[in-house]
Amino acid sequence: MVNRSIALDTVFHALADPTRRAVISRLLMGSAPVKQLAEPFEMGLPAFMKHLSVLETSGLIRTEKRGRVRTCRIDAERLAAAEDWLSEQRALWQGRTDRLAAFVESRNPPEERP
Amino acid sequence: MVNRSIALDTVFHALADPTRRAVISRLLMGSAPVKQLAEPFEMGLPAFMKHLSVLETSGLIRTEKRGRVRTCRIDAERLAAAEDWLSEQRALWQGRTDRLAAFVESRNPPEERP
DNA sequence: TCTACAGTTCGCCACATGGTGAACCGATCC
DNA sequence: GGATCGGTTCACCATGTGGCGAACTGTAGA
């Protein structure tokens, strides 16, 4: 799926920043308005909003504006997608190294060690 | 740990590109020289080498030059680190939503549905 | 030795990213 | 109604990213 690949692009890119990962961690404890989320960080609102929009277009969070306050909450589905990709790759790796170990054990050639 | 955070930065950034993810997937089936890795992609060697160096500085792969050919292989440790972070976050989320479900069940307020 | 081949380095370019400050908009509160 | 507060938009800037082609290096093979 091309879509899935693009989704992984945006999700991993969103996660590749400590500020955004901190926002995720914070939102895991419950939804919060933008101002409150931005408080711990030493940057202006505009910069922080860019981080939020990266998170939102990646699908990791959803936001809703009611009155003048925008509330953010997490959407764990994309988090799971990223985790799935990683665990899939690691499973392949695990299987391959297991087979490799078996192979080495079965032949065990005295390899040169320079 | 600050180091761990930087490691996550570079690992997630490395994974946020379809070319680099494809290289990872390819390397899961066994190590390979640069030329062979670059073959499937429609870009020049210099561009491809940049991808490789991103992967290497992230610690996701290791390379070794013997003679004139540089061989690349995977290092699954960082892959596991990324997976760990994600599963940790998801576990927190899971725990929180479980508690939330219990809370909602115990109170069950008839929320407005617009 | 000469040639071809695998990487590497270099300079360049277009565009994305991450930040700033200032001005602005719309909802709330006194 | 006017001040304030939460967001938003705008113009701008420095830096990083991802690509190119051309020139270079060093090893292998004929």
Side-chain angles (χ1 to χ4, degrees), chain B residues 38-68:
Chain B
E39 218 163 43
F41 304 102
E42 294 178 341
M43 69 179 74
L45 259 298
F48 187 75
M49 290 298 293
K50 286 190 188 177
H51 285 298
L52 281 189
S53 84
V54 167
L55 284 170
E56 190 170 15
T57 61
S58 80
L60 283 169
I61 71 170
R62 288 161 181 267
T63 77
E64 189 189 3
K65 191 164 185 177
R66 185 172 299 225
R68 70 181 171 182

Side-chain angles (χ1 to χ4, degrees), chain B:
Chain B
M1 305 285 185
V2 177
N3 274 352
R4 193 187 161 194
S5 176
I6 292 178
L8 284 176
D9 285 8
T10 61
V11 168
F12 281 132
H13 171 245
L15 293 175
D17 181 287
T19 299
R20 294 195 288 260
R21 283 199 306 277
V23 169
I24 299 264
S25 292
R26 165 63 187 81
L27 285 179
L28 289 170
M29 309 188 312
S31 36
V34 170
K35 183 80 182 305
Q36 184 178 331
L37 281 177
E39 218 163 43
F41 304 102
E42 294 178 341
M43 69 179 74
L45 259 298
F48 187 75
M49 290 298 293
K50 286 190 188 177
H51 285 298
L52 281 189
S53 84
V54 167
L55 284 170
E56 190 170 15
T57 61
S58 80
L60 283 169
I61 71 170
R62 288 161 181 267
T63 77
E64 189 189 3
K65 191 164 185 177
R66 185 172 299 225
R68 70 181 171 182
V69 31
R70 176 175 297 277
T71 308
C72 310
R73 61 190 173 80
I74 222 160
D75 181 355
E77 196 176 314
R78 288 297 165 83
L79 218 56
E83 192 189 350
D84 287 351
W85 187 87
L86 278 172
S87 68
E88 193 179 318
Q89 305 299 314
R90 244 232 322 201
L92 288 174
W93 166 254
Q94 212 86 36
R96 184 232 159 207
T97 45
D98 287 356
R99 269 182 281 118
L100 180 64
F103 174 76
V104 167
E105 191 135 341
S106 75
R107 301 207 47 188
N108 197 23
E111 196 73 332
E112 101 283 358
R113 187 78 52 87

Side-chain angles (χ1 to χ4, degrees), chain A residues 11-17 20-21 24 60 79 82, chain B residues 12 85-86:
Chain A
V11 167
F12 281 130
H13 171 244
L15 293 175
D17 181 289
R20 294 194 287 259
R21 283 199 306 277
I24 298 264
L60 282 168
L79 218 55
Chain B
F12 281 132
W85 187 87
L86 278 172

Side-chain angles (χ1 to χ4, degrees), chain A residues 96-113:
Chain A
R96 185 233 158 207
T97 46
D98 287 355
R99 269 181 281 120
L100 179 64
F103 175 76
V104 168
E105 190 135 343
S106 74
R107 301 206 47 186
N108 198 21
E111 197 75 330
E112 102 283 357
R113 189 79 50 87

Side-chain angles (χ1 to χ4, degrees), chain A residues 63-80:
Chain A
T63 76
E64 190 189 1
K65 191 163 184 177
R66 186 171 298 225
R68 71 182 170 181
V69 32
R70 176 175 297 277
T71 308
C72 309
R73 61 191 172 82
I74 223 162
D75 181 354
E77 195 175 315
R78 290 295 166 85
L79 218 55

